[in-house]
Amino acid sequence: MASEPQLVLVGGYAPAAQPGILFCTFDSAHGVLTKRSAAAGITNPSFLALHPNGEWLFSVSETSAADGAPGGVAALRLARTTGTFTLTNTQPSGGDWPCHLCLDVSGRWLIVSNYGSGSVRVFPIGADGALGEATDHVQHQGRGPNAQRQEGPHAHSATPMPDGEQLLVADLGTDQLMMYELNADDGTLARTGAVIVPAGAGPRHITFSADGRQLFVATELGNTVVRYRYDAANGTFAIQQEISTVPAGVPSSYVADIHLSPDGTRLYVSNRGHNSIATYTIGPDGALALAGVTPCGGDWPRNFAVSPDGCWLLVANQYSGDIAVLPIDANGLPGPAIAQIPVPGASFVQFI
């Protein structure tokens, strides 16, 4: 167990007049999450990304032109000793409902996924942590078989590939993972291919195995994890497995977040509606085996984080408005929540 408190960032759906970004500490020895400071001034800071230097913080403003406030991205400075947030600048996200941010491996470029518009935009990060004007903007095209949710493209997340030079952008609306090469010199994106996801599954978030040979895709509409074998030499993906995240017969649920345990032996996925966490063991060949599906400690687990020691799960439950603290047992399964810390509209939590 860690002897010193760990640092945690929390984001949520909140009006600009209310604090939507929180700086917390977590006592892993006792499972105690404590709010230390908060920042207001950004509407719906529902997803955050911290720069590797630990000082520059970026936030979406998940809004839309239909609401009279086009989507945006904000750059802030975080003083970790005091927990003070200072707004550096903002930029338009170039689309509606920006829902995800990704830093490239160099820390020089920020990529935002605009869910509502189905587009991706790249921003340069200046020497002072400010966001420059966009260097590229890519508009996706297409649709999927789900007429209500896949009427058009819906870019949901961008994730660096193991080579550090390419990105996979999960598009829920088109059932594809768009593959792009990011030019590290000028911040432009070049399409290099696509990974096809089962029709109607709606890919949301992804993660690679610890060795980079397996890709795990969380599908929001299919309520599954789809596993691919990744051949880095050829740049190809071969589907190996599709496994459910909820028990049979669940009437309505939507997958949200996906993360590996720190030691890479387990995979966790959150289920909104069923309000649970699915836990899988990862075999030597990358195969997933369901270990259990357990309560998330609240309502609508949009995002979650595994503590660095692998002993705790912090779950951002959007509808119940809290961060639930769940202990992880010796078998890797989350237990009942020992605490719920009120956070209205909670949607993001991350250990830093």
Side-chain angles (χ1 to χ4, degrees):
M1 294 287 187
S3 58
E4 294 186 2
Q6 298 158 359
L7 305 181
V8 177
L9 284 170
V10 173
Y13 290 91
Q18 297 179 11
I21 301 176
L22 282 67
F23 180 74
C24 307
T25 56
F26 183 71
D27 177 0
S28 191
H30 304 94
V32 177
L33 181 67
T34 304
K35 298 179 186 179
R36 295 300 186 190
S37 61
I42 300 171
T43 302
N44 295 340
S46 62
F47 199 92
L48 311 174
L50 185 68
H51 193 274
N53 66 16
E55 183 180 357
W56 301 340
L57 179 66
F58 305 97
S59 170
V60 301
S61 180
E62 191 174 338
T63 56
S64 71
D67 301 327
V73 184
L76 304 96
R77 187 179 296 271
L78 169 63
R80 294 170 65 160
T81 55
T82 62
T84 303
F85 296 93
T86 304
L87 180 65
T88 303
N89 76 327
T90 61
Q91 291 284 1
S93 73
D96 291 338
W97 301 319
C99 63
H100 187 272
L101 295 172
C102 164
L103 286 154
D104 82 311
V105 295
S106 73
R108 296 175 53 205
W109 309 98
L110 183 73
I111 301 93
V112 59
S113 298
N114 292 301
Y115 176 84
S117 303
S119 62
V120 179
R121 180 168 279 202
V122 183
F123 295 96
I125 301 172
D128 59 352
L131 293 172
E133 293 186 2
T135 54
D136 205 356
H137 182 94
V138 178
Q139 177 63 55
H140 291 176
Q141 304 292 336
R143 63 182 62 189
N146 186 319
Q148 292 185 324
R149 296 293 312 278
Q150 296 181 309
E151 80 296 341
H154 293 300
H156 216 308
S157 63
T159 304
M161 289 177 60
D163 64 9
E165 298 177 357
Q166 298 187 88
L167 299 168
L168 278 179
V169 178
D171 194 303
L172 181 147
T174 65
D175 289 323
Q176 295 184 82
L177 307 178
M178 308 294 192
M179 194 182 309
Y180 295 101
E181 183 174 349
L182 175 64
N183 187 313
D185 294 324
D186 62 11
T188 56
L189 296 171
R191 175 82 173 268
T192 58
V195 181
I196 306 302
V197 177
R204 180 183 173 96
H205 286 179
I206 71 173
T207 189
F208 282 89
S209 61
D211 62 8
R213 297 177 181 176
Q214 306 289 329
L215 170 66
F216 305 112
V217 181
T219 71
E220 177 171 338
L221 307 180
N223 292 310
T224 61
V225 176
V226 183
R227 177 175 65 92
Y228 296 80
R229 183 177 64 245
Y230 173 51
D231 185 337
N234 298 315
T236 58
F237 293 85
I239 190 168
Q240 302 294 300
Q241 187 180 12
E242 188 174 3
I243 186 169
S244 179
T245 65
V246 292
V250 171
S252 180
S253 193
Y254 304 93
V255 160
D257 206 7
I258 182 169
H259 293 289
L260 289 170
S261 62
D263 64 5
T265 64
R266 283 175 174 65
L267 183 73
Y268 299 99
V269 178
S270 59
N271 297 305
R272 296 169 297 170
H274 191 249
N275 293 337
S276 60
I277 303 294
T279 302
Y280 306 89
T281 58
I282 303 175
D285 60 351
L288 297 175
L290 182 64
V293 182
T294 52
C296 69
D299 186 2
W300 215 252
R302 188 176 180 90
N303 187 257
F304 67 91
V306 187
S307 63
D309 58 14
C311 294
W312 302 91
L313 209 66
L314 301 185
V315 184
N317 292 305
Q318 182 182 348
Y319 289 173
S320 54
D322 57 63
I323 303 294
V325 180
L326 280 60
I328 297 176
D329 67 21
N331 296 316
L333 289 171
I338 65 167
Q340 283 103 355
I341 292 82
V343 178
S347 63
F348 178 90
V349 59
Q350 182 182 56
F351 287 89
I352 55 174

